Amino acid sequence: MLPRVIIHTAVSADGRIDGFTPDLGTFYGLVATWKEDVTLAGSDTLLAAAQADAPATEEPLPAPDPGDTRPLLAIVDSRGRVHTHAALLAAGYWRQTIALCSQTTPARHMAYLAKAGIPALVAGQKQVDLKAALAQLAAQYGARVVRVESGGVLSGVLLRAGLVSEVSVLVHPVLVGGSSARSFYRAADLGAADSPIAARLISAESVGAGIVWLRYALG
Ligand SMILES: NC(=O)c1ccc[n+]([C@@H]2O[C@H](COP(=O)([O-])OP(=O)(O)OC[C@H]3O[C@@H](n4cnc5c(N)ncnc54)[C@H](OP(=O)(O)O)[C@@H]3O)[C@@H](O)[C@H]2O)c1
C-alpha cells in the first residue's frame, strides 16, 4: 500500500516558486488540512532553509515519545548532504527525522546517521527509489498521508512517476518574470507522444490578502 502524497506549494501568479516572499502564515496554516503522517522533504530545500547553517551534531537524538502524534520528517538524501537533523527537530514541528538513502550514500554519512540514532531507509541503487521508499514508510511507520515539502525537482520526479494524489497551489498576487523555469514541476519537456497530467479541480478559494488556494486531484 502506498500513502496518499500531496504537494502543497506557494507560487506567484506567473507560476514561479522563487523570487517572492510567500505568506508563510497562510501556507503553514493550511497544512493542517491533510493531517500528514510524514513530511517528505528534498535535500536542496533543506539546504536552502534557515536551519542549514546550524552546526552538525553527532550527539544521539532523543527517541520519540510513543504518544507523540507529530509528523515524521523524511529527507530524500542519497548524497548524504543534510547534517542538520538536530536543528530540524528543534524547530518543533516533527517528532523524528528519517533519512531516505540509497546503496551509494557515502558510508561516512551512514555512520553519522547511526551514531546520531537517526533511522535510515535504504531504497534504490543511486538515487532514492521514491516508490519503494514510500512503501517502506507505509509499512514501517504506518504512513498513510505524506505531504511534500520541496522545490520543483523532487515534486517533478514524484509527478512523473505517478505517485502524487493531490496538488495544492497557493497563488500569490505577484508577478516575478524571468527566463529560468522555476515552477514546482521541473522535469524533462514532454515528448510528442506524452500527455500532460490531467487534474480535477477539488476547490478554489480566496484565502485572504489576494491569495487564491487551488486544490487538484490527480489520477
Ligand atoms: N515556493 C514553495 O512553495 C517552495 C517550497 C519548498 C522549496 N522551495 C524552494 O525550492 C528550492 C529547492 O528546490 P529544488 O527543486 O532545487 O530541490 P528539491 O525539490 O529539494 O529537490 C531535490 C531533491 O530531489 C531528489 N531527487 C532529484 N532527482 C531525483 C530522482 N531522479 N530520484 C529520486 N530523488 C531525486 C534529490 O535527492 P538527492 O539529494 O538524493 O539527490 C533531492 O532530495 C529552494 O530554493 C527552496 O527555497 C519553494
Side-chain angles (χ1 to χ4, degrees), residues 91-185:
Y93 185 73
W94 299 283
R95 70 175 186 274
Q96 187 176 29
T97 59
I98 298 172
L100 304 185
C101 303
S102 70
Q103 302 288 351
T104 52
T105 301
R108 207 171 138 210
H109 188 70
M110 298 305 287
Y112 151 72
L113 295 172
K115 196 165 176 192
I118 300 162
L121 295 184
V122 178
Q125 185 59 38
K126 189 159 184 277
Q127 292 189 282
V128 175
D129 178 332
L130 295 167
K131 186 174 181 182
L134 288 167
Q136 285 193 45
L137 286 168
Q140 295 183 33
Y141 293 91
R144 284 168 302 152
V145 179
V146 172
R147 180 180 63 85
V148 181
E149 177 97 19
S150 85
V153 175
L154 179 60
S155 297
V157 178
L158 290 164
L159 283 161
R160 281 283 158 90
L163 295 170
V164 180
S165 308
E166 179 179 338
V167 170
S168 159
V169 188
L170 213 50
V171 185
H172 285 60
V174 61
L175 297 168
V176 177
S179 57
S180 61
R182 296 303 298 268
S183 87
F184 69 84
Y185 179 7

Side-chain angles (χ1 to χ4, degrees), residues 9-10 17 42-45 76 78-79 127-128 150-154 182:
T9 188
I17 59 163
S43 57
D44 287 296
T45 292
V76 182
S78 66
R79 289 169 281 173
Q127 292 189 282
V128 175
S150 85
V153 175
L154 179 60
R182 296 303 298 268

Side-chain angles (χ1 to χ4, degrees), residues 11 16 38 59 62 65 67 77 79 84 91 93 99 143 154 158 163 165 190 215:
V11 303
R16 290 189 69 118
V38 174
E59 296 301 310
D65 184 323
D77 191 18
R79 289 169 281 173
T84 49
Y93 185 73
L154 179 60
L158 290 164
L163 295 170
S165 308
L190 289 179
R215 292 179 64 190

